[in-house]
Amino acid sequence: MEAIASVLASAISTSASLMFASTGEILTERSGTLNLGLEGVMLMGAVMAYTTAYSTQSLALGILAALLVGALVGLVFAFMTVTLRANQVVCGLALVTLGSGLSGFIGKSIGGTTLEISFGKIAVPILSDIPFIGQVFFNQDLMVYSLYLLVPLLYFFMFKTGPGLRLRSLGENPAALDTAGIRVYLLRYLYAMVGTAIVSLGGAYMTLAFTPTWIDNITAGNGWIAAALVIFSFWNPLFAALGS
């Protein structure tokens, strides 16, 4: 049982970047915008989080940098696809190319370095003492713990609240929202930015927690796996977490 618990605990920490990326993309796609540029977004989040944390010695600022760059990329993507109505697939693939090249350029000077600080594992008092379950779920780092809140909260928001119903209507029947006087374009901008910011955290997790270092293309295709997980999960955050 010890060996199984150790394997499952490692599986959770390994899959955290996929969980961030897939849940963020679910939010974006539910609003009616398809973003296939997850790999590029994750790389930008990874390099910005790492360079910020490396230069400031602050993990909080690293996370903030990843969120900001993700939101900025989401804003640009929304402008291209929502306002200019450019092809969403082409814009997503362009993000992959941009993210791969720009992250390599930004991280060139710090390639191969290692952070002196990182998100280490923290045992939750009492809960971590529960046999098997405690070792698997409650001896993780803070970013994994944040997913324990993010995934169920996003599920509750999407399927149990009025704003969540409007979010799903954005992708399924935007004309009905427009008839009701709801600003469809504004909401799509909002969810594109928030969703892409969460995707960016998937990259930040890799450089601030999982492997606190920077090498080119550190995400190694995780963005593409996350994009597939979104479809596999039927755009449901709980299924996406399980699939991750």
Side-chain angles (χ1 to χ4, degrees), residues 159-170:
F159 296 102
K160 304 296 182 181
T161 68
L165 176 61
R166 288 193 288 272
L167 165 61
R168 286 180 284 134
S169 297
L170 274 175

Side-chain angles (χ1 to χ4, degrees), residues 9-195:
S10 297
I12 290 176
S13 61
T14 302
S15 65
S17 63
L18 292 175
M19 292 188 200
F20 278 116
S22 58
T23 52
E25 178 61 9
I26 285 173
L27 196 61
T28 301
E29 289 194 20
R30 279 285 187 176
S31 69
T33 306
L34 172 66
N35 184 0
L36 292 181
L38 304 189
E39 184 79 1
V41 175
M42 291 177 71
L43 282 170
M44 287 300 298
V47 72
M48 292 305 297
Y50 186 84
T51 53
T52 302
Y54 185 81
S55 58
T56 64
Q57 292 298 299
S58 171
L59 293 174
L61 289 178
I63 292 294
L64 180 60
L67 288 171
L68 289 176
V69 74
L72 179 60
V73 172
L75 176 63
V76 174
F77 183 78
F79 175 73
M80 296 295 295
T81 58
V82 176
T83 301
L84 300 183
R85 299 190 179 184
N87 186 285
Q88 295 179 2
V89 174
V90 173
C91 289
L93 296 178
L95 279 184
V96 175
T97 304
L98 176 65
S100 299
L102 194 55
S103 64
F105 175 75
I106 294 174
K108 187 175 182 180
S109 61
I110 53 171
T113 59
T114 303
L115 276 181
E116 297 178 3
I117 56 172
S118 63
F119 287 103
K121 296 188 181 300
I122 301 175
V124 178
I126 301 177
L127 294 178
S128 61
D129 296 328
I130 301 174
F132 189 78
I133 293 176
Q135 183 179 347
V136 173
F137 294 101
F138 300 109
N139 190 27
Q140 302 286 350
D141 58 76
L142 286 176
M143 293 193 74
V144 171
Y145 292 142
S146 71
L147 283 167
Y148 293 171
L149 296 175
L150 175 65
V151 172
L153 284 176
L154 184 56
Y155 173 83
F156 180 81
F157 172 77
M158 288 175 56
F159 296 102
K160 304 296 182 181
T161 68
L165 176 61
R166 288 193 288 272
L167 165 61
R168 286 180 284 134
S169 297
L170 274 175
E172 296 171 12
N173 192 357
L177 291 181
D178 189 52
T179 302
I182 296 173
R183 303 180 66 179
V184 172
Y185 280 13
L186 180 62
L187 284 179
R188 281 184 172 169
Y189 263 82
L190 173 64
Y191 287 119
M193 293 175 66
V194 174

